[in-house]
Amino acid sequence: MKQILFIFAVVLFISHAAFAQNRTLTGQVVSADKSEALPGVTVVVKGTTLGTATGADGSFTLQVPDKQDVTLVISYLSYKAQELNVKPDQARVEVRLSPEAAALDDVVVIGYGTVKKRDLTGAVVSVKGEEVAKLPTTTVVEALQGKIPGADITRANGYAGQGAAVRIRGNRSIGNPSSSNNVLYIVDGVQGVNASDIDPNDVESIEVLKDASSTAIYGSRGANGVIIITTKRGSNNKPKLTLNAYTGITQVAGYGKFMDGPQYVAFRREAFRAVGTWNSPADDSKVFNAAQLDAINNQQYINWPDLLLHNGLQQNYQLGVAGGSENTKVYFSAGYFDEKGLMKLDRFKRYTARLNIDQTVNKWMKVGIQSQLAYLNNDIRRDPFNLASQAAPLGTPYDADGNLILFPLGGTVVNPLADEQPGAYQRNTKTNRITAAAYLELTPLSGLNFRSTLAANFATSEAGSFYGKNTIDGRGANSQASLTNNQNRNLSFENVLTYRKEFGDHSLTLTGVGSILTFTNTSSFLGGSNQVLPSQSFYNLAGANQNPFYGSGLVDSKLISFTERINYTFKGKYLLTLTGRSDGSSKLAPGNKWAFFPSAGLGWRVIDENFLKDQKVLNELKLRGSYGVSGNDVINAYGTQNSLTLAQISFNETTAAPAYTISPTIGNQSLKWELTTTADFGVDFGLFDNRLSGSIDYYDARTTDLIFPYTLPLFTGVTTVNRNIGKTRNRGVEVSLTSQNFRGADFTWSTTLTYARNKETIVSLPNGNVIADDYRNSLIEGEASQIYYDYQKLGIWQLGEETEAAKFGAIPGDIKVADLSGPDGVPDGKITSADRTIIGTRVPKWTAGLSNDLRYKGFDLNVLLVARVGQWISSDYYAKYTRSGNNNGAVVEYWTPENPTNEYPRPNATRSLSYVTTLTEREASFAKIRNVTLGYTLPKSVTSALRIDNVRLYVSGKNLYTFSNLKDFDPEGEGVIDRPLNRVYVFGLNVGF
């Protein structure tokens, strides 16, 4: 630490000394549109603390480093910031700032093209690459958290290499909500690229498309929103080299506590006291075995989760090179990400490389390639936490000689540390993913452009698994080894024809697209038991000579699409977008394979009307509206066909013979597209010289012909059939606000708030209004698709309520649930399935993000807060309650005659536990400090002397603190004990050459 402080002091001394050699620079700043002098403009030497503000006549005088190039950063409210390079021999400069409205001319990437921000008619949010790379994140999606209204982004677990999941405007499909509502990722125009392979430092911009006007051009592929990622390209400037690196530690964030030794002993004693077996410590021999008694007498207590959890390590390094000539532009990057998880045997390594080349052949032809290679090496730990939460916290994990005790205390629960022993356990997946795309772009006539792109996504994975005899799965009996191979080959061929024409007050862009996408997966697996040489793990499966198993498979599907789009503007203020797309999916049955998805979007730039010309409050005002249809074919390939499955048939005592029977899921030749119709109304605005700007959207999405695996009666001989069965509706409001709180020569501060409120509703279901599977997977008309439909816990039956409790088969100390209904719809004195009710929903009522960016001279600070409010969880942690006292469990307040709580029932060695799910359900709203990053950019005078463009040092903390009523664990992870979330602290470096 002393060495670091010394180096930092030397750097500051050098920077101070460097400023001693300065020269005087004068200048004037005027507006580019009216040539008026601009007073109060901030002029700063980039990378330094040198700065000033212009006077009443727009003039300024500034001391700048002598005998070297410097870059001035000129910024002013309601005007677009500008950077100006100043040579050593320049003594005076003239600066023209363009009004902030020019920022509306920034290009936004949309489907199969680009459009100026001012001409957008859809709900599109754009995030620049510097915003993505500003925070150290594992994936680019994680970097969007809190920045996109309507995008619910969460981290499910803290395992090594895990990123974040995203939902845009809620869940529409109900057949398989975890996968059928996934967004579509487009990387440099190519579909099917795995976004988690992209280093955030490679990103130029990200556009999130949310409404039908913007997503309809992707038809069925864009039903759940589209995220377009554009990576960096080369330039015709001098080569630029960038180095980005960070390293740090990870710690567990909010993991639930389990009973320690004394707590467990008291709990087990109470369980036997309830049945009259235990009355005092003199009865301990009736409750504990000899090994347990010995551990208690010697105060040998174990905290198993603490033995499993350790600090982890996270590091990332990326090197990028951009350059080229007038006709050739090249961008190359290489990256390495490494994370050691919170447990041993949990590690993730990612190696990436990207090469983008654009070559201008002549005035009418351009060619290029874009490619990415990702190699992933992932060691995956089998979950030991469920076992650790049950194992009695008594005894020792090792014997006197240091050898692992496989069954501590002579019991039946395996030692949770068993898999950590050398050579005992290995589960590793190696993945290679290659994306390569080549394009040809022709411009035969002015305004006419044709682009043809052939892309391929290849992915291979090899997943090996081995567990030895003395492991959690082996349980001292046998070992097993297996190997699974997967190959994905996805090809796309897309041709885009674009025509642009401006005539008078009219501007027209016509786009036509024809594409074909193919998806092919082949897989194989094999394995066996009793690996003769454990050291060979899964690398020699011939050594696993017992109980062999094997198999293979092929899945193939295709999607053909034809698209047309018209973008029209009149006088630059009346906007129209019309889109139509036809998709044909091989997954659907003949006669239902094709569907047409139209959309229309309108925009009115009210700010450009004459009646707002002289007002001083508004800087921007645009109204938007869109309406369109998108689709979803959320079934597996061959899901509409009948298929056969292998069955073994034996006669008398003869060996089983292979035979075939109809698959439990039968085909449905009438199955058709799931359709979503969305209306969106939005307003974009800027107020008070753009000190406050933002957008507000209201949307209403209605989905019909839901594809759902419908359960069939048992007498049919099959179990399910995919059917179009019902309707859902999603509607909500999204708000994004950005305020410029303070902008001065030395200090700036801006704040961005995002807010989204979404209401999911199942509108109709067949054969009644309830499809009840279990308390977590029930579907009910008028409710969200992900609810908890369970008994309502009122508390615990108390002393004095014996007579009433007996009517329900209960005694004091049991869980009391509400008698809400019966066969006639009124309480009937019985607890049956009719008494279940809506406890809560898994989706939040609203989400929000609050980001603050502050800069003071060379320092920058970003603080990001996120909130997720109104959702419920069913926590595994709260379910860890074994009433009999045979196993350990969560630290909870339980009922005893002396402690008549209403939280948990009384421990009881012989009485079963009913309605345990009611103990797990909690309202789990939270707000958290997602990220705090503090950086310092070295002065330009220092970096120039080293022939470096810029150097920035920073420290960052992620998932720092959570505000929630749930104090036992981080509620973002939903209290699932086998996947604790982590907290990250890193130190980073950004260097540009």
Side-chain angles (χ1 to χ4, degrees), residues 589-837:
N592 292 311
K593 292 183 180 293
W594 286 90
F596 179 68
F597 307 109
S599 77
L602 294 171
W604 178 24
R605 291 192 47 76
V606 187
I607 192 65
D608 291 337
E609 297 289 356
N610 288 332
F611 59 79
L612 290 180
K613 184 176 181 180
D614 296 326
Q615 56 82 37
K616 302 297 183 182
V617 176
L618 290 168
N619 303 100
E620 166 65 3
L621 181 62
K622 180 173 70 173
L623 303 180
R624 297 178 279 104
S626 67
Y627 185 84
V629 180
S630 55
N632 214 339
D633 56 348
V634 288
I635 59 169
N636 296 325
Y638 322 118
T640 62
Q641 304 174 18
N642 290 322
S643 59
L644 298 177
T645 185
L646 181 65
Q648 300 289 344
I649 298 179
S650 299
F651 296 94
N652 296 325
E653 296 181 358
T654 60
T655 304
Y660 291 90
T661 185
I662 296 176
S663 173
T665 299
I666 63 171
N668 180 1
Q669 292 293 300
S670 300
L671 195 70
K672 56 185 178 181
W673 287 88
E674 186 177 291
L675 300 176
T676 298
T677 302
T678 304
D680 187 285
F681 304 95
V683 56
D684 304 321
F685 58 88
L687 303 168
F688 314 118
D689 288 333
N690 278 329
R691 280 192 174 272
L692 180 66
S693 60
S695 63
I696 301 174
D697 278 86
Y698 170 80
Y699 62 89
D700 191 341
R702 307 184 185 214
T703 303
T704 60
D705 296 323
L706 295 167
I707 298 176
F708 184 78
Y710 192 75
T711 302
L712 296 172
L714 292 176
F715 65 78
T716 63
V718 290
T719 58
T720 56
V721 60
N722 287 303
R723 286 180 52 190
N724 300 104
I725 67 163
K727 303 175 182 178
T728 60
R729 183 183 183 187
N730 276 31
R731 57 192 186 276
V733 176
E734 299 167 349
V735 179
S736 177
L737 296 174
T738 297
S739 64
Q740 303 293 333
N741 306 317
F742 191 88
R743 185 178 294 274
D746 294 331
F747 177 67
T748 63
W749 173 26
S750 64
T751 301
T752 297
L753 169 69
T754 61
Y755 170 87
R757 189 177 189 91
N758 177 68
K759 181 175 178 57
E760 298 181 13
T761 307
I762 297 177
V763 176
S764 68
L765 292 170
N767 303 328
N769 66 353
V770 178
I771 298 179
D773 184 7
D774 63 28
Y775 79 105
R776 283 195 256 200
N777 297 298
S778 294
L779 303 174
I780 299 177
E781 284 187 5
E783 301 295 334
S785 61
Q786 298 185 51
I787 59 173
Y788 295 111
Y789 183 57
D790 203 356
Y791 301 97
Q792 180 182 341
K793 177 176 174 285
L794 299 177
I796 304 297
W797 288 105
Q798 301 293 329
L799 294 173
E801 297 180 320
E802 288 85 352
T803 302
E804 186 66 19
K807 296 178 182 179
F808 297 93
I811 63 174
D814 287 351
I815 296 175
K816 180 197 291 189
V817 297
D819 176 19
L820 298 176
S821 186
D824 299 324
V826 295
D828 59 355
K830 300 177 182 178
I831 302 300
T832 66
S833 60
D835 293 303
R836 291 184 295 176
T837 187

Side-chain angles (χ1 to χ4, degrees), residues 251-478:
Q251 298 176 343
V252 68
Y255 190 70
K257 294 181 179 180
F258 293 89
M259 288 186 286
D260 58 24
Q263 289 171 325
Y264 171 73
V265 169
F267 183 85
R268 187 167 172 83
R269 284 172 173 170
E270 181 61 30
F272 283 87
R273 183 173 79 115
V275 297
T277 303
W278 187 93
N279 293 295
S280 71
D283 295 323
D284 277 351
S285 60
K286 301 176 183 179
V287 175
F288 303 98
N289 62 31
Q292 292 172 331
L293 282 173
D294 186 62
I296 294 170
N297 292 331
N298 291 295
Q299 295 188 347
Q300 293 176 334
Y301 303 133
I302 305 174
N303 188 316
W304 292 108
D306 276 1
L307 295 178
L308 291 167
L309 290 167
H310 311 276
N311 286 344
L313 173 67
Q314 195 175 99
Q315 53 186 330
N316 187 70
Y317 307 95
Q318 190 258 5
L319 183 67
V321 181
S325 61
E326 182 178 353
N327 294 323
T328 305
K329 297 178 177 60
V330 180
Y331 176 79
F332 171 78
S333 72
Y336 170 66
F337 175 83
D338 180 15
E339 181 174 5
K340 294 181 180 178
L342 299 173
M343 297 179 290
K344 294 180 179 179
L345 307 181
D346 178 26
R347 189 168 187 178
F348 177 85
K349 297 180 181 179
R350 180 183 67 203
Y351 304 82
T352 59
R354 170 169 290 277
L355 178 63
N356 295 339
I357 300 177
D358 300 285
Q359 176 67 48
T360 300
V361 180
N362 51 43
K363 293 182 179 180
W364 54 271
M365 180 184 292
K366 185 178 179 181
V367 297
I369 62 170
Q370 49 206 36
S371 59
Q372 168 147 326
L373 168 66
Y375 169 66
L376 315 177
N377 189 344
N378 193 8
D379 288 319
I380 306 166
R381 176 71 181 272
R382 181 214 188 276
D383 161 41
F385 289 111
N386 276 292
L387 198 63
S389 66
Q390 301 174 34
L394 305 174
T396 60
Y398 302 96
D399 62 21
D401 298 324
N403 299 313
L404 183 87
I405 302 174
L406 187 60
F407 294 99
L409 304 175
T412 60
V413 178
V414 178
N415 191 321
L417 303 177
D419 290 351
E420 295 183 355
Q421 307 315 299
Y425 180 90
Q426 185 178 12
R427 183 181 170 194
N428 176 267
T429 299
K430 294 181 176 65
T431 303
N432 296 284
R433 283 198 284 260
I434 299 175
T435 299
Y439 73 86
L440 168 67
E441 187 173 307
L442 304 176
T443 311
L445 301 172
S446 175
L448 182 64
N449 178 273
F450 173 76
R451 184 181 177 108
S452 182
T453 303
L454 177 64
N457 293 309
F458 295 121
T460 64
S461 67
E462 178 185 85
S465 176
F466 167 76
Y467 62 80
K469 177 180 178 180
N470 296 323
T471 57
I472 294 174
D473 291 316
R475 295 188 55 81
N478 212 340

Side-chain angles (χ1 to χ4, degrees), residues 509-587:
T509 300
L510 305 176
T511 304
V513 183
S515 67
I516 179 171
L517 285 78
T518 67
F519 309 91
T520 304
N521 171 264
T522 58
S523 61
S524 61
F525 66 91
L526 67 162
S529 302
N530 191 38
Q531 176 62 276
V532 176
L533 296 175
S535 61
Q536 294 182 339
S537 187
F538 52 79
Y539 297 106
N540 178 22
L541 293 180
N545 54 28
Q546 296 178 3
N547 305 316
F549 54 89
Y550 49 86
S552 61
L554 167 67
V555 178
D556 186 86
S557 64
K558 295 179 176 62
L559 184 72
I560 300 176
S561 306
F562 300 98
T563 308
E564 311 82 28
R565 181 174 63 201
I566 299 174
N567 290 94
Y568 170 75
T569 65
F570 177 64
K571 292 187 176 181
K573 55 186 176 182
Y574 306 112
L575 317 171
L576 171 67
T577 301
L578 297 175
T579 305
R581 171 159 168 151
S582 295
D583 275 351
S585 171
S586 67
K587 296 196 291 185

